[in-house]
Amino acid sequence: MFLRLRLPLLLTLLAGLIPIIAFFFKDDATFIKKPNSWLEQDMVIVSGFALLLGVVNVVQSNVRKIERREKGWLFAAVLLFGMFFMGIFGAAGAMRLGGLPGIGNYPNGTPTPFAWGSVYMFTPLQSTMFALLAFYIASAAFRAFRVRNLEATILLVAAVFVMLGRIPVGEGAFGSVTEWMMQVPNGAAQRGIIIGAALGAASLSLRVILGIERSYLGLEKSE
Amino acid sequence: MSTALAKLTTIDRRWIFLLIGLGTLIPILIPIGFPVTITPPVQSIYDKIETLGENDVVVLSYDYGPTTAAENEPMADAIIRHCFLRKVKVVALALYPLGGLTAVNGSVTRVSAEFPGLQYGVDYVNLGYKDGGQASMKLLAEDFSKAFPGDTNGTPLSTLPLMQKVTGARNAQLAVSIATGVIGEWWANLINAQYGLPVAVGCTAVSAPKYYAYLEAGQMLGLIGGLKGASEYEQLLLNGYPQTKTIYSNPMLQTASKGMDVQTIDHLIIIGFIVLGNIAYFAGRRAKQA
Amino acid sequence: MEHFDASRLNALVLFIVFCVLVLTFIGRARAGGDLFIRKIAGLNAIDEAVGRATELGKKVLYVPGIQSIDENQTIASLAVLSHVAKMTARYGTELDVPNKDPLTFASARETVREAYMQAGRPDLYNEGIVHYVTYDQFAYTAAVSGTMVRERPAANFLIGSFFAESLLLAETGQASGAIQIAGTAEVAQLPFFVCACDYTLIGEELYAAGAYLSREPSMLGSIKGQDWTKAAVALAILLGVIFESVHIFPAFKQWISIN
């Protein structure tokens, strides 16, 4: 009961309260700034170790998929190859093993295996995924921007004005309107949502710190 | 007629994809060269850097990866180029995982090569990437060496003259985050709000509406929004520093100004489809009534 | 008290007002006070979405965003996941929870395991329900999009913190014909979700989701306290606008300014 319930809640309380208290004190208040700095450094370390947990799960689930020849097992094999290739050469490069100068290029400018995989495989794949947005934005706009009612019409007109105002051919006619729309109505709406969301986040934080919200620990209130 | 038009509402979306693909490819192959007008949020960043000199330090955070490089890279290059032109010292770093290997290394190497008189460690430093998000940001605001024991090559910060001049980001004169996603907001929320350091952000066009709220609240001094903003900054450099014309006229350099050709054509295609979609929608309603 | 940062007194006052209001309403709720919370369509539609997946014999896909557990949106998403997992356990519907962040993955696994226990169906739980994919944003997007296209889930939940992948996921899900419920406080992504999803939880609705679904009085009380704080902030903004417009009480602006 202590390890599963009380200790996590106690740690949450401390980890939540220390940064709040530290915010209200000057830098010379070492009694609170030091534990706060320690917490911040710890977060970096914990998130690094947590990645190992994910890697173990990826290996387990994909090896299982390959063993059972499940649908798409070849994708799993490619995934594992990519992960081990980049993982091994990345770690070896970082530790300067096997004559690797790091994870970047050799002094003569040729890429290390990690840099090669990153620049010639990973980067183009990443850019391709992001580039899909241009296509999806067009299809979503075609489907969503219809003059169905007053609100949808306002949305449509605003979208067309901003699209025209952000390109050279429409900038002269719509540039100032676009800038006004972005700064005034958009700014007002964004602030409304940001203030509401910030208070919602603060309220949720308070529930977490006080142990009222426990679902992230897999616990119910009654426990 | 109405029924035929109404069928357009169910058009195979691959036709839309095809047109967008052509609208992207053709202007890349055959550049058009549309003119650029400067907007105040971009001008204010340029003006701020114009007030800085060789005794000042700018922290330039490459908070983006290869995904958004097409939008972010021209603005990052323009900012660091502007700093180098004015001999402003630059501390470059990355808080986005792939920003370290691709963005910051690429940009610093590329632009510093244009200024052979500048010396690494004295005029600029590349700290590389640090994991940990907001926690790392708070650490580097206080003391760079707490977050980065060494620079991107592992050289201890204590041996780099520039890092003796500026211990933490809060001692700099300006922080510029070229960001994808949320990291630019962190600079405004944490570094500007808590340390009072002027913060400017260059972001993707999709994130720009969100950043206007911070801009209007005074938590950011300027904003470079997407390719449009980046092309404005390039134009400001061309106007203020005519020597940059040789750089920006290089046909192999993918500048924001060239990217604006693609954006212009694609926006017009999307607007065309919106108009078409509405004609089809009304035709469908009329067909139903009939 | 020489260490206290007086320039942050305004933030401290707001913090105390906020805490007092939230704790007061939690106390009132625990004492049995009646608290009205408006209907949130996106949360009411969860039953419909899981029900549809059950009828079609297809899986429910739950994406808890791409941020870690230190992000409040992720914590709010796990509260919704707990509710969804209880329903899929009760109806015997397949659930798939792919993860981008390892800490979120560990928490999501605990949340789902516990939900299956509470629903009385621990036999239906297996370690493959909540699985880790990758730490990279777009590789994760590609993997989840692939699942949507190949396995065609009947219901997609996109709830948590999303960035550039929001439209890629929502459009792929829309094309696959799934009923989609999204929720995020990332304002730049909200328009995409509104365009491509059937229901969208906007900003604070996401943070209220756990309280709304659990109907736990103390949780609902905190929402009420939050609403009153919002009213106080709105009043401060209104006063600021009036004072600034007619040039009176300059001290108000100085005091309330961020420092």
Side-chain angles (χ1 to χ4, degrees):
Chain A
M1 195 62 177
F2 176 75
L3 281 177
R4 173 145 172 77
L5 178 66
R6 293 209 180 107
L7 184 64
L9 291 179
L10 186 68
L11 287 174
T12 308
L13 180 71
L14 284 174
L17 281 182
I18 289 171
I20 295 174
I21 298 168
F23 178 78
F24 297 110
F25 284 88
K26 290 178 191 159
D27 292 345
D28 55 3
T30 47
F31 69 93
I32 190 73
K33 290 287 179 181
K34 265 208 167 164
N36 187 43
S37 169
W38 182 79
L39 266 180
E40 283 163 2
Q41 285 175 334
D42 262 25
M43 183 68 197
V44 179
I45 297 166
V46 170
S47 59
F49 274 102
L51 195 56
L52 276 179
L53 190 71
V55 171
V56 170
N57 183 262
V58 167
V59 174
Q60 281 177 341
S61 58
N62 285 285
V63 165
R64 201 180 307 131
K65 207 177 246 184
I66 296 168
E67 276 176 353
R68 294 178 188 167
R69 293 286 189 278
E70 284 176 23
K71 196 178 167 188
W73 68 271
L74 258 175
F75 296 126
V78 172
L79 186 151
L80 287 178
F81 173 77
M83 193 181 80
F84 283 114
F85 179 87
M86 295 298 276
I88 290 167
F89 283 109
M95 290 186 278
R96 310 281 201 272
L97 298 176
L100 290 166
I103 56 168
N105 291 347
Y106 286 104
N108 66 4
T110 54
T112 58
F114 183 85
W116 184 89
S118 179
V119 174
Y120 297 111
M121 298 291 289
F122 193 62
T123 301
L125 287 169
Q126 288 263 313
S127 303
T128 306
M129 279 304 294
F130 190 70
L132 288 177
L133 265 181
F135 300 94
Y136 285 177
I137 269 179
S139 67
F142 174 69
R143 208 182 47 248
F145 290 138
R146 300 277 158 84
V147 187
R148 287 193 186 93
N149 48 42
L150 181 66
E151 289 92 336
T153 310
I154 293 170
L155 191 72
L156 187 153
V157 172
V160 171
F161 274 26
V162 172
M163 274 193 278
L164 284 171
R166 302 295 284 176
I167 54 175
V169 292
E171 209 172 9
F174 299 99
S176 50
V177 181
T178 297
E179 206 58 32
W180 177 83
M181 281 167 70
M182 294 296 275
Q183 290 188 10
V184 182
N186 166 69
Q190 299 272 354
R191 274 182 216 159
I193 296 174
I194 289 172
I195 291 171
L199 288 171
S203 167
L204 178 69
S205 299
L206 206 56
R207 294 202 296 268
V208 169
I209 291 169
L210 297 177
I212 297 169
E213 172 75 64
R214 303 171 178 189
S215 53
Y216 69 101
L217 290 170
L219 298 171
E220 282 291 297
K221 180 72 187 78
S222 52
E223 284 186 65
Chain B
M1 179 65 181
S2 291
T3 321
L5 271 175
K7 278 186 182 166
L8 278 174
T9 51
T10 53
I11 185 178
D12 189 332
R13 60 186 195 146
R14 282 174 294 187
W15 287 108
I16 303 172
F17 295 168
L18 178 69
L19 274 175
I20 291 288
L22 290 174
T24 306
L25 188 66
I26 293 170
I28 289 175
L29 298 174
I30 311 162
I32 304 162
F34 289 112
V36 176
T37 314
I38 314 298
T39 55
V42 179
Q43 180 77 51
S44 52
I45 301 178
Y46 180 86
D47 291 346
K48 173 69 186 178
I49 295 180
E50 280 294 293
T51 64
L52 305 179
E54 56 188 314
N55 291 320
D56 298 312
V57 178
V58 168
V59 176
L60 180 54
S61 190
Y62 289 75
D63 303 325
Y64 67 93
T67 45
T68 58
E71 272 186 291
N72 289 135
E73 200 170 273
M75 52 181 86
D77 282 7
I79 293 283
I80 194 170
R81 189 170 283 128
H82 191 191
C83 291
F84 286 167
L85 282 163
R86 293 200 57 77
K87 296 188 169 57
V88 176
K89 308 287 184 273
V90 175
V91 177
L93 55 98
L95 297 174
Y96 187 83
L98 279 166
L101 187 65
T102 54
V104 66
N105 285 357
S107 175
V108 171
T109 310
R110 192 168 46 243
V111 182
S112 62
E114 298 164 11
F115 300 87
L118 297 182
Q119 199 184 341
Y120 182 80
V122 177
D123 298 301
Y124 64 98
V125 164
N126 175 3
L127 298 180
Y129 164 68
K130 183 69 184 178
D131 192 19
Q134 296 186 51
S136 295
M137 191 180 279
K138 277 189 178 177
L139 287 177
L140 70 90
E142 301 279 343
D143 187 349
F144 281 116
S145 63
K146 277 189 184 170
F148 296 90
D151 72 355
T152 190
N153 301 313
T155 312
L157 296 196
S158 55
T159 63
L160 298 167
L162 175 56
M163 302 318 290
Q164 307 304 308
K165 189 180 160 72
V166 55
T167 48
R170 61 180 175 165
N171 305 123
Q173 277 64 48
L174 172 69
V176 183
S177 168
I178 306 297
T180 178
V182 73
I183 304 179
E185 274 184 87
W186 296 347
W187 281 96
N189 280 334
L190 284 177
I191 305 300
N192 177 268
Q194 294 195 20
Y195 299 99
L197 175 68
V199 167
V201 173
C203 65
T204 52
V206 70
S207 312
K210 173 177 64 176
Y211 283 105
Y212 271 92
Y214 295 98
L215 183 69
E216 289 298 297
Q219 284 180 271
M220 283 164 39
L221 70 87
L223 175 67
I224 306 175
L227 269 183
K228 170 76 170 64
S231 69
E232 291 174 31
Y233 211 97
E234 286 175 356
Q235 192 57 51
L236 283 167
L237 284 184
L238 283 165
N239 296 345
Y241 299 89
Q243 64 266 43
T244 55
K245 200 176 175 192
T246 50
I247 300 163
Y248 284 114
S249 57
N250 178 0
M252 296 309 288
L253 187 70
Q254 190 55 39
T255 63
S257 309
K258 290 176 194 165
M260 278 309 290
D261 292 349
V262 175
Q263 188 166 314
T264 304
I265 302 298
D266 280 348
H267 275 201
L268 292 175
I269 292 173
I270 293 173
I271 292 168
F273 270 113
I274 291 173
V275 172
L276 197 68
N278 278 286
I279 293 170
Y281 173 69
F282 279 108
R285 283 212 326 199
R286 193 165 296 168
K288 263 186 198 167
Q289 282 165 2
Chain C
M1 284 309 284
E2 77 271 23
H3 297 301
F4 180 72
D5 189 346
S7 66
R8 288 177 178 170
L9 185 65
N10 51 5
L12 182 64
V13 170
L14 181 65
F15 176 68
I16 291 169
V17 167
F18 179 71
C19 288
V20 167
L21 281 169
V22 169
L23 294 175
T24 305
F25 278 99
I26 287 176
R28 276 179 59 175
R30 280 183 172 163
D34 188 28
L35 293 175
F36 170 76
I37 301 285
R38 72 174 168 85
K39 281 194 171 176
I40 301 176
L43 295 173
N44 292 339
I46 291 176
D47 295 12
E48 179 196 341
V50 178
R52 190 177 151 193
T54 310
E55 279 171 20
L56 295 172
K58 289 184 171 182
K59 69 158 70 170
V60 169
L61 180 70
Y62 193 100
V63 183
I66 65 163
Q67 290 276 79
S68 192
I69 199 71
D70 62 341
E71 167 61 52
N72 277 329
Q73 293 177 70
T74 309
I75 295 175
S77 176
L78 293 183
V80 182
L81 173 62
S82 173
H83 183 77
V84 171
K86 275 180 205 152
M87 292 191 72
T88 56
R90 222 171 283 141
Y91 298 149
T93 312
E94 193 186 344
L95 175 65
D96 185 6
V97 189
N99 285 273
K100 187 232 163 209
D101 184 85
L103 287 173
T104 307
F105 157 66
S107 296
R109 180 169 271 191
E110 284 302 308
T111 303
V112 171
R113 183 188 289 141
E114 195 62 28
Y116 273 71
M117 299 268 280
Q118 279 164 13
R121 298 304 303 270
D123 53 310
L124 289 180
Y125 176 78
N126 69 73
E127 295 283 300
I129 293 177
V130 183
H131 57 100
Y132 188 73
V133 181
T134 170
Y135 195 61
D136 183 75
Q137 180 187 14
F138 285 98
Y140 175 75
T141 309
V144 177
S145 301
T147 304
M148 286 176 176
V149 172
R150 285 192 301 273
E151 302 178 29
R152 297 197 171 266
N156 295 336
F157 290 89
L158 307 169
I159 296 178
S161 176
F162 290 88
F163 298 98
E165 69 287 347
S166 62
L167 185 64
L168 297 176
L169 294 174
E171 266 296 284
T172 309
Q174 205 278 338
S176 75
I179 181 168
Q180 301 203 103
I181 299 174
T184 189
E186 298 298 339
V187 282
Q189 309 307 325
L190 281 169
F192 298 137
F193 279 150
V194 170
C195 279
C197 296
D198 299 283
Y199 299 94
T200 305
L201 303 173
I202 296 172
E204 60 196 293
E205 289 180 345
L206 167 62
Y207 295 119
Y212 186 89
L213 292 169
S214 71
R215 293 277 149 191
E216 174 71 40
S218 52
M219 301 248 267
L220 290 174
S222 72
I223 307 284
K224 209 73 185 169
Q226 166 197 330
D227 281 352
W228 277 100
T229 313
K230 193 158 69 173
V233 170
L235 182 67
I237 292 172
L238 194 66
L239 286 175
V241 169
I242 293 169
F243 294 162
E244 275 298 285
S245 302
V246 296
H247 302 291
I248 53 168
F249 298 123
F252 183 80
K253 184 190 171 188
Q254 279 166 14
W255 188 79
I256 213 159
S257 293
I258 297 166
N259 197 336

